[in-house]
Amino acid sequence: MKLLLVLGSDKTYDIISLFFKPMGFQLIRYHHVLKAMDNVDEIDPMGIIISAKDFPRHWKTMVRFVRTERPRNKCSIVILKGENFPEEEANKAKALEVNGLFLESLENSPDLEKIKTLLYRALPAAENKKPFAFVFSHPIDERLITGTVKTITSMGLTFEPDRNGIMDRLNIDIKIMNCSLRAGKEILSPACMLRQAGKIISLEFISFPGAEKETLEQSLLNF
Protein backbone atom coordinates (compact mmCIF):
# COMPACT_ATOMS: atom_id res chain seq x y z
CA MET A 1 0.00 0.00 0.00
CA LYS A 2 2.01 2.93 -1.30
CA LEU A 3 1.21 6.41 -0.02
CA LEU A 4 2.92 9.33 -1.78
CA LEU A 5 3.58 12.35 0.45
CA VAL A 6 4.49 15.77 -0.95
CA LEU A 7 5.37 17.67 2.21
CA GLY A 8 7.81 20.34 3.28
CA SER A 9 7.20 19.99 7.02
CA ASP A 10 9.11 17.29 8.89
CA LYS A 11 6.63 17.58 11.76
CA THR A 12 3.68 16.83 9.49
CA TYR A 13 5.57 13.89 7.98
CA ASP A 14 6.32 12.47 11.44
CA ILE A 15 2.66 12.70 12.47
CA ILE A 16 1.48 10.95 9.29
CA SER A 17 4.25 8.35 9.56
CA LEU A 18 3.44 7.39 13.14
CA PHE A 19 -0.24 7.03 12.28
CA PHE A 20 -0.08 5.18 8.96
CA LYS A 21 3.02 2.98 9.09
CA PRO A 22 1.55 0.59 11.69
CA MET A 23 -1.32 -0.03 9.25
CA GLY A 24 1.05 -1.35 6.63
CA PHE A 25 1.37 1.74 4.45
CA GLN A 26 4.65 2.28 2.59
CA LEU A 27 5.36 6.02 2.74
CA ILE A 28 7.26 7.70 -0.09
CA ARG A 29 8.06 11.37 0.51
CA TYR A 30 9.07 14.16 -1.83
CA HIS A 31 10.02 17.73 -0.97
CA HIS A 32 9.38 18.99 -4.51
CA VAL A 33 6.15 18.73 -6.48
CA LEU A 34 7.78 18.38 -9.89
CA LYS A 35 9.98 15.49 -8.75
CA ALA A 36 6.91 13.77 -7.30
CA MET A 37 5.07 14.22 -10.59
CA ASP A 38 8.00 12.70 -12.49
CA ASN A 39 7.75 9.54 -10.39
CA VAL A 40 4.01 9.04 -9.98
CA ASP A 41 3.80 6.37 -12.69
CA GLU A 42 6.76 4.44 -11.27
CA ILE A 43 5.46 4.61 -7.68
CA ASP A 44 1.82 3.92 -8.65
CA PRO A 45 0.44 5.06 -5.27
CA MET A 46 -3.02 4.22 -4.00
CA GLY A 47 -3.11 7.59 -2.22
CA ILE A 48 -1.41 10.98 -2.31
CA ILE A 49 -1.19 13.63 0.41
CA ILE A 50 -0.06 17.08 -0.73
CA SER A 51 0.55 20.14 1.43
CA ALA A 52 -1.08 23.20 -0.13
CA LYS A 53 0.41 25.14 2.77
CA ASP A 54 3.95 24.23 1.64
CA PHE A 55 3.21 24.33 -2.09
CA PRO A 56 0.47 26.95 -2.62
CA ARG A 57 1.24 27.42 -6.33
CA HIS A 58 1.94 23.87 -7.44
CA TRP A 59 -0.52 21.57 -5.67
CA LYS A 60 -3.20 22.19 -8.31
CA THR A 61 -0.73 21.34 -11.08
CA MET A 62 -0.02 17.97 -9.51
CA VAL A 63 -3.69 17.17 -8.92
CA ARG A 64 -4.53 17.91 -12.58
CA PHE A 65 -1.61 15.74 -13.68
CA VAL A 66 -2.61 12.78 -11.50
CA ARG A 67 -6.28 12.97 -12.41
CA THR A 68 -5.56 12.59 -16.14
CA GLU A 69 -4.94 8.87 -15.54
CA ARG A 70 -6.05 8.15 -11.97
CA PRO A 71 -9.70 8.79 -11.04
CA ARG A 72 -10.69 9.53 -7.45
CA ASN A 73 -11.92 5.96 -6.84
CA LYS A 74 -8.52 4.54 -7.85
CA CYS A 75 -6.17 7.06 -6.20
CA SER A 76 -7.28 9.19 -3.27
CA ILE A 77 -5.81 12.70 -3.15
CA VAL A 78 -5.83 14.56 0.16
CA ILE A 79 -4.86 18.23 0.39
CA LEU A 80 -3.52 19.70 3.63
CA LYS A 81 -4.26 23.40 3.99
CA GLY A 82 -3.21 26.26 6.25
CA GLU A 83 -5.53 28.25 8.52
CA ASN A 84 -6.15 30.98 5.92
CA PHE A 85 -6.99 28.81 2.92
CA PRO A 86 -9.24 30.89 0.58
CA GLU A 87 -12.70 29.63 -0.27
CA GLU A 88 -11.84 30.07 -3.94
CA GLU A 89 -9.01 27.56 -3.55
CA ALA A 90 -11.34 25.13 -1.77
CA ASN A 91 -13.74 25.34 -4.70
CA LYS A 92 -10.86 24.62 -7.09
CA ALA A 93 -9.93 21.56 -5.05
CA LYS A 94 -13.49 20.27 -5.34
CA ALA A 95 -13.55 20.91 -9.10
CA LEU A 96 -10.28 19.00 -9.47
CA GLU A 97 -11.87 15.98 -7.73
CA VAL A 98 -9.75 16.06 -4.60
CA ASN A 99 -11.01 13.41 -2.17
CA GLY A 100 -10.46 15.43 0.99
CA LEU A 101 -9.32 18.81 2.28
CA PHE A 102 -7.99 19.06 5.85
CA LEU A 103 -6.04 21.42 8.08
CA GLU A 104 -2.36 20.53 8.19
CA SER A 105 -2.31 20.78 12.00
CA LEU A 106 -2.93 17.01 12.33
CA GLU A 107 -1.41 16.42 15.76
CA ASN A 108 -4.06 14.74 17.94
CA SER A 109 -6.61 15.46 15.21
CA PRO A 110 -9.62 13.24 14.41
CA ASP A 111 -8.96 14.14 10.77
CA LEU A 112 -6.34 11.37 10.62
CA GLU A 113 -9.11 8.78 10.93
CA LYS A 114 -11.08 10.55 8.19
CA ILE A 115 -8.03 10.52 5.92
CA LYS A 116 -7.54 6.81 6.63
CA THR A 117 -11.14 6.14 5.56
CA LEU A 118 -10.62 8.01 2.29
CA LEU A 119 -7.45 6.06 1.55
CA TYR A 120 -9.00 2.67 2.25
CA ARG A 121 -11.80 3.39 -0.22
CA ALA A 122 -9.24 3.40 -3.03
CA LEU A 123 -7.59 0.13 -1.98
CA PRO A 124 -7.86 -2.80 -4.39
CA ALA A 125 -10.02 -5.54 -2.92
CA ALA A 126 -7.06 -7.90 -2.44
CA GLU A 127 -5.09 -5.28 -0.48
CA ASN A 128 -8.09 -4.31 1.61
CA LYS A 129 -8.37 -7.89 2.86
CA LYS A 130 -4.86 -8.04 4.35
CA PRO A 131 -5.78 -8.11 8.03
CA PHE A 132 -2.39 -7.92 9.78
CA ALA A 133 0.49 -5.44 9.64
CA PHE A 134 3.39 -4.96 12.04
CA VAL A 135 6.07 -2.36 12.72
CA PHE A 136 8.45 -1.93 15.64
CA SER A 137 11.38 0.13 16.88
CA HIS A 138 14.84 -1.42 16.77
CA PRO A 139 15.70 -2.15 20.43
CA ILE A 140 19.17 -0.59 20.16
CA ASP A 141 19.01 2.44 17.87
CA GLU A 142 15.19 2.89 17.79
CA ARG A 143 14.95 2.93 13.98
CA LEU A 144 11.45 2.16 12.78
CA ILE A 145 11.42 -1.29 11.14
CA THR A 146 8.74 -2.05 8.57
CA GLY A 147 8.08 -5.23 6.63
CA THR A 148 5.60 -8.00 5.94
CA VAL A 149 3.84 -10.37 8.34
CA LYS A 150 4.39 -13.89 6.98
CA THR A 151 2.57 -15.95 9.62
CA ILE A 152 0.80 -15.06 12.87
CA THR A 153 -0.77 -16.89 15.81
CA SER A 154 -1.88 -15.79 19.26
CA MET A 155 1.62 -16.71 20.48
CA GLY A 156 3.73 -14.74 18.01
CA LEU A 157 4.53 -14.03 14.38
CA THR A 158 7.13 -14.40 11.66
CA PHE A 159 8.10 -11.22 9.87
CA GLU A 160 10.20 -10.25 6.86
CA PRO A 161 11.79 -6.81 7.38
CA ASP A 162 11.98 -4.52 4.35
CA ARG A 163 15.69 -4.11 5.07
CA ASN A 164 17.51 -7.43 4.99
CA GLY A 165 19.88 -8.23 7.86
CA ILE A 166 18.73 -5.39 10.11
CA MET A 167 18.25 -7.76 13.08
CA ASP A 168 21.25 -10.05 12.50
CA ARG A 169 23.51 -8.53 15.18
CA LEU A 170 20.95 -8.74 17.95
CA ASN A 171 21.05 -11.42 20.62
CA ILE A 172 18.30 -14.00 20.55
CA ASP A 173 15.77 -13.47 23.39
CA ILE A 174 16.21 -9.69 23.40
CA LYS A 175 13.00 -7.90 24.32
CA ILE A 176 11.35 -5.56 21.82
CA MET A 177 8.95 -3.24 23.59
CA ASN A 178 7.85 -0.61 21.06
CA CYS A 179 5.64 -2.58 18.67
CA SER A 180 2.44 -1.83 16.76
CA LEU A 181 0.30 -4.63 15.36
CA ARG A 182 -2.71 -3.94 13.16
CA ALA A 183 -5.27 -6.71 13.56
CA GLY A 184 -8.20 -5.89 11.32
CA LYS A 185 -9.27 -2.40 12.32
CA GLU A 186 -7.56 -2.51 15.73
CA ILE A 187 -4.04 -1.30 16.58
CA LEU A 188 -2.43 -3.41 19.33
CA SER A 189 0.77 -2.81 21.29
CA PRO A 190 2.39 -6.15 22.18
CA ALA A 191 5.74 -6.54 23.87
CA CYS A 192 7.79 -9.15 22.01
CA MET A 193 10.89 -11.29 22.31
CA LEU A 194 13.19 -12.12 19.39
CA ARG A 195 13.34 -15.89 18.95
CA GLN A 196 14.99 -16.17 15.53
CA ALA A 197 16.94 -13.76 13.31
CA GLY A 198 17.72 -13.89 9.60
CA LYS A 199 15.84 -12.90 6.47
CA ILE A 200 12.65 -13.98 8.24
CA ILE A 201 12.59 -13.19 11.95
CA SER A 202 10.46 -14.89 14.59
CA LEU A 203 8.94 -12.92 17.46
CA GLU A 204 7.08 -14.24 20.49
CA PHE A 205 4.36 -12.13 22.10
CA ILE A 206 5.24 -11.85 25.80
CA SER A 207 2.53 -9.40 26.90
CA PHE A 208 -0.35 -7.21 25.75
CA PRO A 209 -1.95 -4.21 27.46
CA GLY A 210 -5.42 -4.81 28.88
CA ALA A 211 -7.59 -7.16 26.81
CA GLU A 212 -5.58 -6.77 23.60
CA LYS A 213 -4.62 -10.45 23.45
CA GLU A 214 -8.32 -11.37 23.36
CA THR A 215 -8.75 -8.82 20.56
CA LEU A 216 -5.98 -10.54 18.58
CA GLU A 217 -7.48 -13.98 19.18
CA GLN A 218 -10.85 -12.77 17.92
CA SER A 219 -9.20 -11.26 14.83
CA LEU A 220 -7.47 -14.58 14.11
CA LEU A 221 -10.85 -16.34 14.22
CA ASN A 222 -12.34 -13.84 11.78
CA PHE A 223 -9.64 -14.17 9.08
Side-chain angles (χ1 to χ4, degrees):
M1 299 189 296
K2 294 180 181 179
L3 183 57
L4 176 60
L5 309 177
V6 189
L7 305 170
S9 168
D10 290 339
K11 180 179 180 181
T12 301
Y13 173 77
D14 289 342
I15 293 169
I16 291 173
S17 178
L18 288 171
F19 186 82
F20 285 104
K21 275 191 174 179
M23 300 175 195
F25 285 90
Q26 179 184 353
L27 305 186
I28 302 165
R29 181 189 181 185
Y30 283 87
H31 293 83
H32 303 284
V33 173
L34 295 179
K35 288 184 179 179
M37 290 170 59
D38 285 343
N39 290 283
V40 165
D41 288 340
E42 180 181 348
I43 297 167
D44 192 22
M46 47 73 65
I48 300 173
I49 299 177
I50 312 171
S51 172
K53 181 179 178 182
D54 294 329
F55 308 104
R57 293 189 298 165
H58 294 119
W59 67 268
K60 295 184 287 293
T61 302
M62 182 164 184
V63 174
R64 290 191 190 97
F65 176 79
V66 172
R67 283 290 177 251
T68 58
E69 295 186 357
R70 292 172 169 79
R72 57 183 291 130
N73 65 323
K74 298 295 184 182
C75 180
S76 295
I77 299 179
V78 170
I79 301 299
L80 302 180
K81 62 179 181 178
E83 294 285 349
N84 299 314
F85 195 72
E87 184 177 353
E88 179 184 355
E89 292 290 271
N91 291 335
K92 289 179 181 178
K94 184 177 180 180
L96 291 169
E97 298 188 340
V98 164
N99 295 75
L101 186 63
F102 301 93
L103 287 173
E104 186 161 332
S105 52
L106 290 171
E107 191 169 14
N108 301 317
S109 171
D111 286 344
L112 285 167
E113 284 289 340
K114 296 176 184 177
I115 294 171
K116 180 186 77 172
T117 299
L118 292 176
L119 294 174
Y120 274 123
R121 286 176 184 170
L123 274 178
E127 288 287 341
N128 217 348
K129 292 178 181 177
K130 291 182 179 179
F132 299 102
F134 186 71
V135 298
F136 62 96
S137 295
H138 193 284
I140 304 300
D141 59 27
E142 298 185 346
R143 285 176 292 174
L144 192 67
I145 298 176
T146 59
T148 303
V149 174
K150 308 301 285 186
T151 63
I152 184 169
T153 70
S154 62
M155 303 301 294
L157 57 80
T158 58
F159 181 78
E160 183 176 5
D162 290 331
R163 183 177 174 185
N164 193 25
I166 196 168
M167 304 291 287
D168 288 353
R169 295 184 180 181
L170 293 179
N171 294 325
I172 301 302
D173 297 339
I174 190 171
K175 290 183 179 180
I176 302 174
M177 306 303 294
N178 296 319
C179 306
S180 291
L181 170 66
R182 174 170 63 80
K185 296 182 179 179
E186 302 296 327
I187 302 296
L188 313 180
S189 302
C192 300
M193 187 170 288
L194 181 67
R195 293 305 191 190
Q196 179 179 321
K199 181 179 179 181
I200 306 295
I201 67 173
S202 177
L203 296 166
E204 178 186 352
F205 300 134
I206 56 176
S207 67
F208 286 88
E212 286 190 2
K213 185 170 184 179
E214 287 79 4
T215 301
L216 173 60
E217 290 172 345
Q218 187 61 47
S219 295
L220 290 167
L221 291 173
N222 292 337
F223 294 100

PDB file of all heavy atoms in Angstrom, residues 51-65:
ATOM      1  N   SER A  51       0.713  18.959   0.591  1.00  0.00           N
ATOM      2  CA  SER A  51       0.553  20.141   1.426  1.00  0.00           C
ATOM      3  C   SER A  51       0.375  21.382   0.554  1.00  0.00           C
ATOM      4  O   SER A  51       1.316  21.835  -0.102  1.00  0.00           O
ATOM      5  CB  SER A  51       1.762  20.327   2.345  1.00  0.00           C
ATOM      6  OG  SER A  51       1.683  21.574   3.013  1.00  0.00           O
ATOM      7  N   ALA A  52      -0.840  21.922   0.562  1.00  0.00           N
ATOM      8  CA  ALA A  52      -1.076  23.197  -0.128  1.00  0.00           C
ATOM      9  C   ALA A  52      -0.464  24.349   0.664  1.00  0.00           C
ATOM     10  O   ALA A  52      -0.178  25.416   0.111  1.00  0.00           O
ATOM     11  CB  ALA A  52      -2.574  23.425  -0.314  1.00  0.00           C
ATOM     12  N   LYS A  53      -0.243  24.124   1.945  1.00  0.00           N
ATOM     13  CA  LYS A  53       0.413  25.139   2.766  1.00  0.00           C
ATOM     14  C   LYS A  53       1.872  25.302   2.340  1.00  0.00           C
ATOM     15  O   LYS A  53       2.380  26.425   2.250  1.00  0.00           O
ATOM     16  CB  LYS A  53       0.345  24.727   4.243  1.00  0.00           C
ATOM     17  CG  LYS A  53       0.970  25.721   5.204  1.00  0.00           C
ATOM     18  CD  LYS A  53       0.835  25.219   6.645  1.00  0.00           C
ATOM     19  CE  LYS A  53       1.501  26.166   7.628  1.00  0.00           C
ATOM     20  NZ  LYS A  53       1.421  25.650   9.021  1.00  0.00           N
ATOM     21  N   ASP A  54       2.545  24.183   2.054  1.00  0.00           N
ATOM     22  CA  ASP A  54       3.951  24.233   1.638  1.00  0.00           C
ATOM     23  C   ASP A  54       4.103  24.554   0.155  1.00  0.00           C
ATOM     24  O   ASP A  54       5.108  25.145  -0.251  1.00  0.00           O
ATOM     25  CB  ASP A  54       4.624  22.891   1.931  1.00  0.00           C
ATOM     26  CG  ASP A  54       4.718  22.599   3.421  1.00  0.00           C
ATOM     27  OD1 ASP A  54       4.827  23.561   4.205  1.00  0.00           O
ATOM     28  OD2 ASP A  54       4.677  21.414   3.797  1.00  0.00           O
ATOM     29  N   PHE A  55       3.115  24.163  -0.643  1.00  0.00           N
ATOM     30  CA  PHE A  55       3.209  24.333  -2.094  1.00  0.00           C
ATOM     31  C   PHE A  55       1.943  25.013  -2.638  1.00  0.00           C
ATOM     32  O   PHE A  55       1.147  24.394  -3.361  1.00  0.00           O
ATOM     33  CB  PHE A  55       3.419  22.973  -2.769  1.00  0.00           C
ATOM     34  CG  PHE A  55       4.555  22.186  -2.179  1.00  0.00           C
ATOM     35  CD1 PHE A  55       4.319  21.109  -1.339  1.00  0.00           C
ATOM     36  CD2 PHE A  55       5.868  22.547  -2.445  1.00  0.00           C
ATOM     37  CE1 PHE A  55       5.364  20.393  -0.787  1.00  0.00           C
ATOM     38  CE2 PHE A  55       6.930  21.834  -1.899  1.00  0.00           C
ATOM     39  CZ  PHE A  55       6.678  20.761  -1.061  1.00  0.00           C
ATOM     40  N   PRO A  56       1.723  26.273  -2.261  1.00  0.00           N
ATOM     41  CA  PRO A  56       0.468  26.952  -2.616  1.00  0.00           C
ATOM     42  C   PRO A  56       0.279  27.172  -4.111  1.00  0.00           C
ATOM     43  O   PRO A  56      -0.856  27.317  -4.580  1.00  0.00           O
ATOM     44  CB  PRO A  56       0.582  28.293  -1.883  1.00  0.00           C
ATOM     45  CG  PRO A  56       2.059  28.509  -1.693  1.00  0.00           C
ATOM     46  CD  PRO A  56       2.630  27.142  -1.484  1.00  0.00           C
ATOM     47  N   ARG A  57       1.359  27.175  -4.886  1.00  0.00           N
ATOM     48  CA  ARG A  57       1.237  27.416  -6.329  1.00  0.00           C
ATOM     49  C   ARG A  57       1.201  26.132  -7.152  1.00  0.00           C
ATOM     50  O   ARG A  57       0.681  26.138  -8.269  1.00  0.00           O
ATOM     51  CB  ARG A  57       2.401  28.284  -6.823  1.00  0.00           C
ATOM     52  CG  ARG A  57       2.375  29.715  -6.280  1.00  0.00           C
ATOM     53  CD  ARG A  57       3.416  30.559  -6.982  1.00  0.00           C
ATOM     54  NE  ARG A  57       4.770  30.044  -6.747  1.00  0.00           N
ATOM     55  CZ  ARG A  57       5.844  30.397  -7.439  1.00  0.00           C
ATOM     56  NH1 ARG A  57       5.728  31.242  -8.452  1.00  0.00           N
ATOM     57  NH2 ARG A  57       7.026  29.908  -7.149  1.00  0.00           N
ATOM     58  N   HIS A  58       1.736  25.054  -6.613  1.00  0.00           N
ATOM     59  CA  HIS A  58       1.941  23.870  -7.441  1.00  0.00           C
ATOM     60  C   HIS A  58       1.032  22.692  -7.114  1.00  0.00           C
ATOM     61  O   HIS A  58       1.021  21.712  -7.871  1.00  0.00           O
ATOM     62  CB  HIS A  58       3.405  23.415  -7.336  1.00  0.00           C
ATOM     63  CG  HIS A  58       4.371  24.395  -7.911  1.00  0.00           C
ATOM     64  ND1 HIS A  58       5.354  25.007  -7.149  1.00  0.00           N
ATOM     65  CD2 HIS A  58       4.509  24.886  -9.164  1.00  0.00           C
ATOM     66  CE1 HIS A  58       6.058  25.831  -7.915  1.00  0.00           C
ATOM     67  NE2 HIS A  58       5.566  25.777  -9.143  1.00  0.00           N
ATOM     68  N   TRP A  59       0.284  22.737  -6.001  1.00  0.00           N
ATOM     69  CA  TRP A  59      -0.520  21.565  -5.669  1.00  0.00           C
ATOM     70  C   TRP A  59      -1.584  21.301  -6.726  1.00  0.00           C
ATOM     71  O   TRP A  59      -1.879  20.140  -7.056  1.00  0.00           O
ATOM     72  CB  TRP A  59      -1.146  21.704  -4.278  1.00  0.00           C
ATOM     73  CG  TRP A  59      -2.195  22.776  -4.125  1.00  0.00           C
ATOM     74  CD1 TRP A  59      -1.996  24.066  -3.727  1.00  0.00           C
ATOM     75  CD2 TRP A  59      -3.603  22.641  -4.369  1.00  0.00           C
ATOM     76  NE1 TRP A  59      -3.186  24.753  -3.705  1.00  0.00           N
ATOM     77  CE2 TRP A  59      -4.189  23.898  -4.086  1.00  0.00           C
ATOM     78  CE3 TRP A  59      -4.427  21.596  -4.779  1.00  0.00           C
ATOM     79  CZ2 TRP A  59      -5.560  24.139  -4.212  1.00  0.00           C
ATOM     80  CZ3 TRP A  59      -5.793  21.819  -4.902  1.00  0.00           C
ATOM     81  CH2 TRP A  59      -6.341  23.072  -4.625  1.00  0.00           C
ATOM     82  N   LYS A  60      -2.163  22.366  -7.288  1.00  0.00           N
ATOM     83  CA  LYS A  60      -3.202  22.186  -8.311  1.00  0.00           C
ATOM     84  C   LYS A  60      -2.628  21.548  -9.575  1.00  0.00           C
ATOM     85  O   LYS A  60      -3.280  20.731 -10.226  1.00  0.00           O
ATOM     86  CB  LYS A  60      -3.864  23.532  -8.632  1.00  0.00           C
ATOM     87  CG  LYS A  60      -4.632  24.134  -7.473  1.00  0.00           C
ATOM     88  CD  LYS A  60      -5.342  25.406  -7.848  1.00  0.00           C
ATOM     89  CE  LYS A  60      -4.383  26.573  -8.020  1.00  0.00           C
ATOM     90  NZ  LYS A  60      -3.739  26.981  -6.751  1.00  0.00           N
ATOM     91  N   THR A  61      -1.392  21.924  -9.914  1.00  0.00           N
ATOM     92  CA  THR A  61      -0.735  21.338 -11.085  1.00  0.00           C
ATOM     93  C   THR A  61      -0.592  19.831 -10.933  1.00  0.00           C
ATOM     94  O   THR A  61      -0.860  19.060 -11.863  1.00  0.00           O
ATOM     95  CB  THR A  61       0.652  21.969 -11.288  1.00  0.00           C
ATOM     96  OG1 THR A  61       0.515  23.379 -11.439  1.00  0.00           O
ATOM     97  CG2 THR A  61       1.345  21.386 -12.510  1.00  0.00           C
ATOM     98  N   MET A  62      -0.191  19.401  -9.731  1.00  0.00           N
ATOM     99  CA  MET A  62      -0.022  17.968  -9.510  1.00  0.00           C
ATOM    100  C   MET A  62      -1.356  17.236  -9.534  1.00  0.00           C
ATOM    101  O   MET A  62      -1.455  16.137 -10.093  1.00  0.00           O
ATOM    102  CB  MET A  62       0.704  17.713  -8.194  1.00  0.00           C
ATOM    103  CG  MET A  62       0.932  16.232  -7.953  1.00  0.00           C
ATOM    104  SD  MET A  62       2.153  15.874  -6.679  1.00  0.00           S
ATOM    105  CE  MET A  62       2.197  14.076  -6.812  1.00  0.00           C
ATOM    106  N   VAL A  63      -2.382  17.826  -8.925  1.00  0.00           N
ATOM    107  CA  VAL A  63      -3.688  17.166  -8.918  1.00  0.00           C
ATOM    108  C   VAL A  63      -4.200  16.981 -10.348  1.00  0.00           C
ATOM    109  O   VAL A  63      -4.692  15.910 -10.722  1.00  0.00           O
ATOM    110  CB  VAL A  63      -4.697  17.960  -8.074  1.00  0.00           C
ATOM    111  CG1 VAL A  63      -6.094  17.339  -8.194  1.00  0.00           C
ATOM    112  CG2 VAL A  63      -4.274  17.987  -6.609  1.00  0.00           C
ATOM    113  N   ARG A  64      -4.094  18.019 -11.178  1.00  0.00           N
ATOM    114  CA  ARG A  64      -4.525  17.913 -12.580  1.00  0.00           C
ATOM    115  C   ARG A  64      -3.760  16.794 -13.290  1.00  0.00           C
ATOM    116  O   ARG A  64      -4.340  16.005 -14.042  1.00  0.00           O
ATOM    117  CB  ARG A  64      -4.293  19.239 -13.311  1.00  0.00           C
ATOM    118  CG  ARG A  64      -5.207  20.367 -12.896  1.00  0.00           C
ATOM    119  CD  ARG A  64      -5.071  21.549 -13.859  1.00  0.00           C
ATOM    120  NE  ARG A  64      -5.754  22.727 -13.360  1.00  0.00           N
ATOM    121  CZ  ARG A  64      -5.170  23.717 -12.710  1.00  0.00           C
ATOM    122  NH1 ARG A  64      -3.863  23.673 -12.482  1.00  0.00           N
ATOM    123  NH2 ARG A  64      -5.866  24.753 -12.284  1.00  0.00           N
ATOM    124  N   PHE A  65      -2.455  16.753 -13.039  1.00  0.00           N
ATOM    125  CA  PHE A  65      -1.607  15.743 -13.676  1.00  0.00           C
ATOM    126  C   PHE A  65      -2.033  14.328 -13.271  1.00  0.00           C
ATOM    127  O   PHE A  65      -2.168  13.435 -14.120  1.00  0.00           O
ATOM    128  CB  PHE A  65      -0.149  15.995 -13.289  1.00  0.00           C
ATOM    129  CG  PHE A  65       0.822  14.971 -13.797  1.00  0.00           C
ATOM    130  CD1 PHE A  65       1.261  15.012 -15.111  1.00  0.00           C
ATOM    131  CD2 PHE A  65       1.301  13.966 -12.967  1.00  0.00           C
ATOM    132  CE1 PHE A  65       2.167  14.067 -15.591  1.00  0.00           C
ATOM    133  CE2 PHE A  65       2.200  13.021 -13.435  1.00  0.00           C
ATOM    134  CZ  PHE A  65       2.627  13.072 -14.751  1.00  0.00           C
TER     135      PHE A  65
END
